[in-house]
Amino acid sequence: ALEKALADPPYGHGLDAAQSANAQLVSEVLMATRAQDINGVVAGLAEDSRDVLLKYIYHGLARPAGFNCGVLLSWHERVVEAGGLGSIVRVMSDRKTI
Amino acid sequence: MSNTLRPYLSAVRSSLTAALCLENFASQIVEKHNVPEVEAGNTKEVLLKPLIVSRNENEQVLIEGSINSVRVSIRIKQADDIERILAHKFTRFLMMRAENFVILRRVPIKGYDISFLVTNFHTEQMYKHKLVDFIIEFMEEVDKEISEMKLSLNARARIVAETYLSQFV
């Protein structure tokens, strides 16, 4: 389910509604997976999807009012473990906003 | 609630370590000038996307990176008026002595309580992992300091009130 949600994110400006709807969807999927399954799910993701997931995590962390930061932070730890610091650098240097 | 502290600090640590990859970059606008690009903001292509890591609505860290400098801004948890005053005085104390701190910024970014500016010259002279350790330790310690100050403030106020009012008993 996570792969479907991460595939083909709405890049670009002026797409606020689509971007926030997609972000909410991803966050729901993240909250639904149990703590012991997180490792397995992250290991099953391709590298591109992992980067997109990290972008969504940072998107959610920037808006603590609307998203559950505790869940996002635990996912962040696992994703960075799998992807390394390079994935964070790729999130920072990519001009496309999800 | 406190079980989010460890993942919060580790997220800040990894984001900060990733952002602290700095190299020398002379200004493209004025010859022979070398400015921290995150502060000048003139050349858009060397600026990275800012990252926000938050634990909840009251505690946030903003990390703005660029090719030769990183600005880290921290919002400290302030639960009530006393803590707001204490945090403000504490950060003001530190920021007035920013020269001795080297990486501290004299004025915090709007919306945050304290800001650090790390340039490539700092990373060349100091260990990167030690800089990250310092900032993380700072974040942990400042909460402890403020609650300690609040406790001592309340204790002092109680003692003063007791001794003053005892003369009327």
Side-chain angles (χ1 to χ4, degrees):
Chain A
L2 191 56
E3 283 117 32
K4 273 279 157 54
L6 292 177
D8 200 17
Y11 285 133
H13 302 282
L15 288 168
D16 290 326
Q19 284 174 352
S20 57
N22 222 343
Q24 285 292 350
L25 180 64
V26 173
S27 125
E28 269 171 43
V29 178
L30 294 184
M31 282 199 278
T33 44
R34 294 174 301 175
Q36 54 259 55
D37 295 337
I38 294 182
N39 265 330
V41 176
V42 169
L45 284 180
E47 203 177 297
D48 293 334
S49 319
R50 212 164 41 209
D51 290 343
V52 177
L53 174 60
L54 198 55
K55 273 198 199 164
Y56 275 113
I57 292 178
Y58 276 115
H59 184 254
L61 283 175
R63 293 154 182 74
F67 294 83
N68 183 341
C69 290
V71 163
L72 289 175
L73 286 174
S74 46
W75 273 89
H76 179 281
E77 213 179 320
R78 296 280 182 271
V79 176
V80 169
E81 238 176 82
L85 291 176
S87 49
I88 305 184
V89 178
R90 262 171 264 141
V91 170
M92 284 201 291
S93 53
D94 199 354
R95 294 198 151 268
K96 299 185 277 200
T97 46
I98 50 123
Chain B
M1 177 54 207
S2 60
N3 62 353
T4 54
L5 179 64
R6 207 192 44 80
Y8 173 59
L9 291 179
S10 86
V12 173
R13 180 184 287 274
S14 50
S15 314
L16 203 48
T17 322
L20 270 174
C21 297
L22 308 174
E23 60 176 9
N24 194 8
F25 186 80
S27 165
Q28 289 184 319
I29 300 171
V30 185
E31 212 180 299
K32 293 202 192 181
H33 276 202
N34 199 317
V35 301
E37 290 295 335
V38 77
E39 292 286 340
N42 287 325
T43 41
K44 303 291 179 199
E45 62 264 23
V46 302
L47 298 178
L48 294 174
K49 234 167 53 167
L51 291 179
I52 301 183
V53 183
S54 51
R55 185 181 174 188
N56 49 47
E57 286 191 24
N58 303 324
E59 290 187 61
Q60 261 188 3
V61 172
L62 170 67
I63 302 174
E64 297 162 283
S66 70
I67 190 167
N68 63 355
S69 45
V70 173
R71 194 162 58 194
V72 185
S73 310
I74 304 174
R75 186 185 295 167
I76 306 170
K77 176 175 67 159
Q78 295 152 46
D80 54 12
D81 284 334
I82 286 276
E83 283 191 12
R84 243 187 294 274
I85 298 174
L86 285 173
H88 178 249
K89 289 216 171 289
F90 184 63
T91 52
R92 209 173 75 102
F93 174 84
L94 294 176
M95 287 189 278
M96 284 213 285
R97 290 150 182 82
E99 271 160 34
N100 293 336
F101 267 97
V102 184
I103 58 171
L104 197 60
R105 201 170 181 263
R106 281 192 173 271
V107 172
I109 301 299
K110 197 139 176 282
Y112 294 87
D113 296 311
I114 195 165
S115 298
F116 295 91
L117 177 68
V118 187
T119 60
N120 58 299
F121 300 110
H122 298 147
T123 46
E124 281 163 21
Q125 289 177 339
M126 303 187 260
Y127 289 128
K128 234 168 52 172
H129 59 279
K130 290 282 185 195
L131 279 174
V132 174
D133 282 344
F134 172 75
I135 295 184
I136 300 289
E137 203 185 308
F138 178 87
M139 284 169 64
E140 288 175 328
E141 294 293 320
V142 82
D143 283 332
K144 281 189 210 144
E145 292 258 347
I146 291 191
S147 40
E148 209 181 288
M149 281 196 279
K150 190 171 164 190
L151 280 175
S152 69
L153 181 78
N154 284 333
R156 275 207 323 263
R158 200 182 58 237
I159 294 174
V160 164
E162 268 180 42
T163 37
Y164 177 69
L165 292 174
S166 63
Q167 67 183 305
F168 299 118
V169 166

